[in-house]
Amino acid sequence: DADVTQTPRNRITKTGKRIMLECSQTKGHDRMYWYRQDPGLGLRLIYYSFDVKDINKGEISDGYSVSRQAQAKFSLSLESAIPNQTALYFCATSDQGRETQYFGPGTRLLVL
Amino acid sequence: DAKTTQPPSMDCAEGRAANLPCNHSTISGNEYVYWYRQIHSQGPQYIIHGLKNNETNEMASLIITEDRKSSTLILPHATLRDTAVYYCIVRVVRGSGNTGKLIFGQGTTLQVKP
């Protein structure tokens, strides 16, 4: 089984809908991250969490919220989806001691 | 975190070594050089990292110049499955200001050809 999983893998939604993307990890890492990637561009950080009680905004957090339900789970919500949130979303984890990040397979989101 | 500069694209013949350069002339003494790659819309994959010494693992070698202003990722025997976008990232690993953020630039698209 994959160490970092994301659900759903693909999602089509309409403008104004609330949706949630979920991330789970079995690596035992304490740090988790959400990134988005737009076509032809690098990844940009949305939110990150260094432990269950720690949530931090990244560079593009507007329009998004997160929940760290447990060490292994980190969810990203779009409160009211808009078309420019159409992107590829990646979850990542890292261990405090090593800092190397391990990425999930991504969720492709289309907002109509 | 220091900025990096990479060529936008490179070609390599299958079985030959692929040498991917990266310039990071503003790197600070406590910043590491990391390399990740992304194979067609999959999640980025960690390859290797280093501070000032050359590093080697099962995937690649990392050569960092003595002044640390540039580095080269070497894939010793490139295969078609190595076709990907390769990202060179410079970041502080420990200490104040460490958000854990990875700043992905445009990267180098490596095309391995038969």
Side-chain angles (χ1 to χ4, degrees):
Chain A
D1 290 335
D3 295 321
V4 185
T5 58
Q6 293 184 234
T7 56
R9 294 294 311 280
N10 295 278
R11 178 73 183 269
I12 300 174
T13 191
K14 295 182 178 179
T15 297
K17 294 291 187 180
R18 182 180 188 275
I19 66 166
M20 178 181 291
L21 309 183
E22 298 186 349
C23 177
S24 295
Q25 54 112 347
T26 59
K27 299 188 75 68
H29 289 168
D30 48 3
R31 300 183 173 195
M32 299 187 73
Y33 311 82
W34 276 104
Y35 292 88
R36 68 174 276 176
Q37 185 174 33
D38 296 282
L41 301 179
L43 280 72
R44 291 182 292 168
L45 183 65
I46 306 173
Y47 270 96
Y48 62 100
S49 170
F50 282 0
D51 63 43
V52 175
K53 297 181 180 180
D54 175 79
I55 302 290
N56 303 281
K57 293 182 178 180
E59 56 187 314
I60 53 164
S61 59
D62 288 348
Y64 301 96
S65 63
V66 291
S67 174
R68 185 81 183 266
Q69 302 96 320
Q71 185 195 38
K73 296 184 182 296
F74 194 34
S75 300
L76 176 71
S77 294
L78 285 67
E79 299 301 327
S80 179
I82 56 177
N84 76 0
Q85 291 178 313
T86 292
L88 189 53
Y89 289 84
F90 290 105
C91 172
T93 74
S94 70
D95 177 68
Q96 183 179 1
R98 290 186 56 81
E99 299 293 347
T100 300
Q101 293 191 16
Y102 297 87
F103 286 80
T107 294
R108 191 173 297 277
L109 175 66
L110 173 61
V111 182
L112 300 175
Chain B
D1 293 329
K3 182 179 178 180
T4 63
T5 303
Q6 300 177 250
S9 64
M10 293 182 62
D11 290 342
C12 178
E14 188 178 19
R16 304 296 295 268
N19 297 280
L20 293 90
C22 179
N23 287 319
H24 32 78
S25 59
T26 61
I27 192 170
S28 300
N30 62 347
E31 289 181 312
Y32 287 67
V33 179
Y34 277 74
W35 283 84
Y36 284 76
R37 72 180 182 183
Q38 187 175 24
I39 299 172
H40 188 56
S41 297
Q42 296 179 21
Q45 177 188 23
Y46 165 79
I47 302 173
I48 197 167
H49 75 282
L51 182 61
K52 54 183 178 181
N53 297 321
N54 297 337
E55 302 288 344
T56 295
N57 63 20
E58 66 278 5
M59 291 183 66
S61 295
L62 174 61
I63 307 299
I64 303 174
T65 58
E66 190 170 348
D67 63 7
R68 302 207 326 120
K69 293 184 177 182
S70 65
S71 60
T72 301
L73 178 74
I74 300 173
L75 307 179
H77 306 287
T79 71
L80 298 178
R81 288 177 296 179
D82 291 322
T83 292
V85 178
Y86 287 77
Y87 295 100
C88 171
I89 299 166
V90 174
R91 60 182 291 255
V92 175
V93 174
R94 295 182 179 84
S96 62
N98 178 17
T99 66
K101 178 174 64 175
L102 294 176
I103 299 176
F104 288 81
Q106 297 298 308
T108 296
T109 298
L110 174 68
Q111 182 72 47
V112 180
K113 297 184 175 181

